[in-house]
Amino acid sequence: MRFPKVYQFGPISIPETQVFYTSQHCLGLVNLKPIAPGHVLVISKRVATRLHDLSPEEASDMMISAQKIGHAIEKYYNGTSLTMAIQDGPQAGQSVPHVHMHLIPRRQGDWANNDDIYDELDNKKKGVDNDERKPRSTEEMKEEADRLRALFE
Ligand code: AMW
């Protein structure tokens, strides 16, 4: 019998069913609380807090992974652009102390003011109901990860 693999995202344990992409140093995972359809995360496999904690190999793998995943999800979710963001440190809005890049497919008119997406990414911003956004079920995340994994096979 094979036990399901678990990855670390800072202090959070991520079941392999949430992972849809793997490279030498990085993972692509579906989001517990996406702010838009297709909002996914690229994280380093190694637990490291800040971008500067990554080795050159890990950092370049993260960018190459973001390029590949971004291209695939933009198409899959019928986007026409991408927001790619790293909140690098708590004062920049980082809530999980493990370096990660947000990839969010964008399309015309999705946010009335384009930069409002950054308020929504920032959990602590006043007037944004991030805490009220319902976490998705394990099943829902598995189902999305299965569909996205097929894009990379
Ligand atoms: W940060 O505010 O640290 O830039 O972003 C943290 C991200 O991690 C958020 O998008 C949040 O929804 C996501 N997240 C938190 N817990 C989990 C989890 N268990 N699985 C997947 N994504 C998660």
Side-chain angles (χ1 to χ4, degrees):
M1 195 179 117
R2 181 182 165 276
F3 288 103
K5 219 169 161 174
V6 170
Y7 296 96
Q8 276 318 114
F9 177 32
I12 305 167
S13 297
I14 301 286
E16 63 181 341
T17 51
Q18 251 178 271
V19 175
F20 63 87
Y21 168 97
T22 310
S23 64
Q24 190 180 357
H25 297 294
C26 294
L27 302 170
L29 39 122
V30 297
N31 204 316
L32 181 68
K33 291 179 170 188
I35 65 170
H39 174 193
V40 299
L41 302 174
V42 186
I43 74 169
S44 53
K45 276 186 181 166
R46 188 170 66 82
V47 178
T49 309
R50 301 284 305 274
L51 186 61
H52 67 230
D53 295 325
L54 299 184
S55 68
E57 291 75 25
E58 289 170 319
S60 47
D61 187 339
M62 178 167 278
M63 187 49 90
I64 292 163
S65 298
Q67 191 183 34
K68 288 182 184 163
I69 296 172
H71 189 57
I73 60 165
E74 178 181 321
K75 207 159 140 196
Y76 187 73
Y77 285 97
N78 299 315
T80 48
S81 296
L82 286 168
T83 289
M84 304 171 124
I86 299 178
Q87 309 202 104
D88 196 24
Q91 284 68 48
Q94 184 180 31
S95 60
V96 179
H98 183 142
V99 62
H100 55 281
M101 193 185 293
H102 296 260
L103 300 183
I104 307 161
R106 300 293 307 269
R107 59 177 75 86
Q108 191 70 41
D110 52 4
W111 269 270
N113 297 305
N114 195 43
D115 285 353
D116 285 353
I117 191 169
Y118 297 107
D119 284 348
E120 207 143 339
L121 271 180
D122 186 346
N123 281 317
K124 291 180 202 77
K125 268 268 156 63
K126 287 198 177 69
V128 177
D129 59 357
N130 280 309
D131 288 341
E132 287 155 35
R133 192 175 291 120
K134 200 168 153 263
R136 299 197 295 171
S137 68
T138 309
E139 258 321 296
E140 196 180 344
M141 290 193 283
K142 177 185 182 304
E143 191 268 327
E144 185 188 26
D146 287 346
R147 282 189 283 116
L148 295 183
R149 203 174 300 116
L151 304 177
F152 300 95
E153 280 165 4

